[in-house]
Amino acid sequence: MSKKAKESKKNKPSNSSKSVKASRTSPAPDLSWFLNDRLGLFIHWGIYALPARHEWVRNRERITIEDYQKYFDHFDPDLYNPREWARAAKNAGMKYFVITTKHHDGFCLWDTKLTDYKATNTPWGKDLIRPMVEAFREEGLRVGLYHSIIDWHHPENRVDRIHPQANDPEYRKANQKRDQKKYIKYLHGQVKELLTDYGQIDYLFFDFSYPGEDGKGHEDWGSKDLIKMVRELQPKIIVNDRLDLMDKPGGWDIKTPEQFLVREPVTYNGKKVPWETCQTFSGSWGYHRDEQTWKSVKQLLTMLIDTVSKDGNLLLNVGPTARGNFDLRATERLAGMGEWMKVNARAIYGCGQAPEGFTQPEGCKLTYNASTNRMYVHIMNWGFKHLHLDGFGGKVEYAQFLHDGSEVNWTKQAGAWMSHQSGEETLTLNIPVQKPPVEIPVIELLMNR
Ligand code: GLC
């Protein structure tokens, strides 16, 4: 290597996603697509879309299997058009999707051979998963499956503290006759179907273990055999962390903090690990007609930028309706995100945390792409005329807005009474007084090699 090349290598900030890989605690599949793509669509869909009161409605309202049956009997999503869903996700800048094959209520969206409690036996009468997987693949998105290991419908799965009938002594009595091993066989059999019949599955999201008193831990799911089978059937698959196998090598690949934003890049046993946060548009995963806490496009973009600035992925959820379409509120948000992503995606894909030494400027968040050596300043709160970048002095070759490629210049001389440059360490950008017409403006800094 020439002296010049060595020098430029030395000056180049380290690749944050590589350091994540190196610090894994277990053998891992290739995570590069996942770490690059950063944004995915979660879909929670099932017969709980009919009551439209949260996917945990059976638990929250203590509904019995018998009383829940009416939703099965009326499930007929006549507007279901997975191609439309896939396009909406793609236009929002999403690169992968994750669909609930079965949620805690036990209803299966595919044509499983192991139960009659499935979409093909509802008035709809058809497998929902195959056309969805095909449509998303055709639009270029990777395929992820969510599978609930919890099952409130299966007659052999032990009733425990989160079961809808947990407080019903009659149900509890039935536990004496329940054989958890039979449920394990069913669970593994279904996962086998899903990983055999639908081609390459890129990501598997199991949900979820809750060990401890009256709960369920890895033994109740046969997690060790389950993960072994998963790895054999789909060696490239990425698996989340909810099987209660945290300390087993190969027991998980990514951590999945849910419904909150982390303050620092996620670690496990003191080491940085790959992670993805899943979040809802409103407070529910399943379609919830009356839920009013919808986040604005700006809030959603803030979540995305914040997540990427800490080396994470964002999996944003839509709960399709009982007719099989996306609620207008979801459609609008996806479109709003897409508008931003169309011009700013460069600040998201392939990006991660800024290298050490670069301080996040006031009102801004930083993301950084190690392969292109470009830094992105996301201006969350528009300031006034000057943007002071501490730690950037002498390190930037060129600066431009991402939405229109217009140059952003800076004042070279320190100390002039009209500017506020404060020393050589700081680069002060001159920004327009008016915020450009983009939800969160981004300045792209081409860093010196
Ligand atoms: C929780 C909930 C569930 C939702 C999931 C998404 O585990 O039980 O309803 O599917 O989070 O991560």
Side-chain angles (χ1 to χ4, degrees):
M1 200 188 280
S2 73
K3 202 175 158 220
K4 206 172 163 206
K6 266 191 206 154
E7 271 303 299
S8 77
K9 212 171 167 219
K10 207 169 75 197
N11 289 338
K12 206 175 147 187
S14 73
N15 181 336
S16 49
S17 58
K18 270 195 189 132
S19 64
V20 165
K21 266 202 235 164
S23 63
R24 282 190 47 84
T25 52
S26 57
D30 182 6
L31 296 180
S32 44
W33 71 264
F34 185 82
L35 295 173
N36 180 75
D37 290 354
R38 292 301 189 208
L39 179 61
L41 175 70
F42 215 171
I43 304 176
H44 275 66
W45 201 33
I47 54 176
Y48 43 76
L50 277 76
R53 302 192 293 275
H54 199 277
E55 77 286 353
W56 274 60
V57 63
R58 256 205 74 195
N59 170 289
R60 290 178 165 196
E61 299 178 16
R62 303 290 176 210
I63 303 176
T64 60
I65 290 182
E66 295 73 34
D67 288 343
Y68 198 63
Q69 183 62 25
K70 62 182 171 194
Y71 305 125
F72 184 96
D73 293 340
H74 293 104
F75 184 70
D76 193 9
D78 60 325
L79 298 179
Y80 176 47
N81 180 352
R83 178 65 75 140
E84 243 170 48
W85 296 9
R87 290 210 178 113
K90 184 183 178 181
N91 291 340
M94 290 155 164
K95 294 280 198 183
Y96 60 101
F97 89 112
V98 182
I99 172 70
T100 50
T101 50
K102 176 189 86 167
H103 204 263
H104 308 337
D105 64 2
F107 174 73
C108 299
L109 275 70
W110 80 104
D111 192 13
T112 168
K113 294 189 181 62
L114 303 178
T115 181
D116 291 334
Y117 203 51
K118 56 180 175 180
T120 45
N121 290 333
T122 63
W124 173 250
K126 286 171 270 183
D127 180 356
L128 295 163
I129 297 295
R130 190 174 303 283
M132 203 185 307
V133 163
E134 283 168 3
F136 276 83
R137 265 195 205 124
E138 276 164 30
E139 291 297 327
L141 282 87
R142 295 209 179 233
V143 177
L145 303 180
Y146 163 109
H147 195 71
S148 172
I149 52 181
I150 298 169
D151 194 313
W152 297 328
H153 183 268
H154 197 278
E156 301 292 349
N157 188 24
R158 186 166 52 79
V159 175
D160 56 27
R161 66 171 190 254
I162 68 160
H163 192 281
Q165 273 68 50
N167 303 327
D168 180 335
E170 281 306 305
Y171 260 87
R172 286 289 185 166
K173 232 196 275 162
N175 266 347
Q176 290 154 5
K177 295 207 199 98
R178 292 188 174 216
D179 180 353
Q180 190 68 23
K181 287 207 185 74
K182 287 194 183 147
Y183 174 67
I184 292 178
K185 199 167 164 227
Y186 172 78
L187 169 66
H188 293 203
Q190 288 208 316
V191 172
K192 186 169 184 189
E193 283 182 353
L194 290 166
L195 298 188
T196 311
D197 297 345
Y198 294 90
Q200 188 184 319
I201 304 300
D202 302 293
Y203 178 18
L204 190 56
F205 192 117
F206 284 121
D207 197 34
F208 64 92
S209 299
Y210 42 103
E213 203 182 328
D214 201 19
K216 287 202 178 81
H218 66 87
E219 282 164 359
D220 300 285
W221 317 117
S223 294
K224 289 183 184 164
D225 291 337
L226 183 56
I227 193 82
K228 198 161 161 264
M229 179 187 76
V230 168
R231 304 273 187 216
E232 278 164 15
L233 291 172
Q234 297 268 354
K236 291 186 183 161
I237 206 163
I238 296 175
V239 186
N240 75 337
D241 59 339
R242 298 189 185 179
L243 283 179
D244 186 28
L245 293 176
M246 287 313 288
D247 291 318
K248 186 177 185 303
W252 58 282
D253 301 314
I254 58 160
K255 284 198 63 64
T256 53
E258 171 180 323
Q259 296 283 46
F260 70 94
L261 288 177
V262 303
R263 295 184 65 191
E264 304 262 311
V266 175
T267 57
Y268 187 70
N269 284 342
K271 290 183 179 162
K272 279 171 96 184
V273 292
W275 63 278
E276 171 198 72
T277 183
C278 47
Q279 306 278 352
T280 49
F281 280 168
S282 69
S284 175
W285 300 91
Y287 174 62
H288 196 314
R289 186 191 58 207
D290 302 335
E291 160 63 55
Q292 295 300 330
T293 60
W294 284 73
K295 297 169 188 81
S296 66
V297 170
K298 175 148 190 203
Q299 275 178 306
L300 295 164
L301 291 172
T302 302
M303 289 168 99
L304 172 64
I305 294 162
D306 185 73
T307 300
V308 176
S309 78
K310 291 165 187 155
D311 273 340
N313 280 30
L314 177 63
L315 186 62
L316 259 184
N317 179 78
V318 171
T321 72
R323 296 285 306 273
N325 58 350
F326 285 3
D327 176 43
L328 194 59
R329 293 168 289 186
T331 309
E332 280 170 5
R333 275 146 186 95
L334 288 171
M337 292 190 72
E339 202 177 304
W340 187 86
M341 283 294 280
K342 202 153 62 180
V343 285
N344 292 299
R346 225 146 79 189
I348 298 295
Y349 303 142
C351 291
Q353 192 181 24
E356 270 175 42
F358 295 95
T359 316
Q360 214 137 246
E362 207 177 300
C364 300
K365 288 188 188 295
L366 295 176
T367 59
Y368 172 69
N369 186 322
S371 350
T372 59
N373 195 25
R374 291 177 186 211
M375 185 86 74
Y376 298 95
V377 185
H378 302 252
I379 312 179
M380 319 304 289
N381 304 317
W382 192 253
F384 179 64
K385 274 178 36 177
H386 297 112
L387 184 59
H388 306 290
L389 305 179
D390 293 329
F392 287 72
K395 295 184 183 158
V396 177
E397 177 197 314
Y398 188 75
Q400 60 188 355
F401 274 111
L402 257 193
H403 67 277
D404 63 358
S406 62
E407 182 186 12
V408 180
N409 60 18
W410 60 80
T411 312
K412 283 217 169 109
Q413 287 302 310
W417 63 270
M418 354 179 13
S419 82
H420 305 272
Q421 183 134 342
S422 40
E424 297 205 337
E425 295 292 295
T426 301
L427 178 75
T428 295
L429 299 179
N430 302 322
I431 59 168
V433 173
Q434 292 294 336
K435 180 184 166 220
V438 55
E439 194 69 82
I440 298 174
V442 182
I443 295 176
E444 181 176 51
L445 304 175
L446 285 68
M447 308 301 281
N448 286 329
R449 292 269 166 191

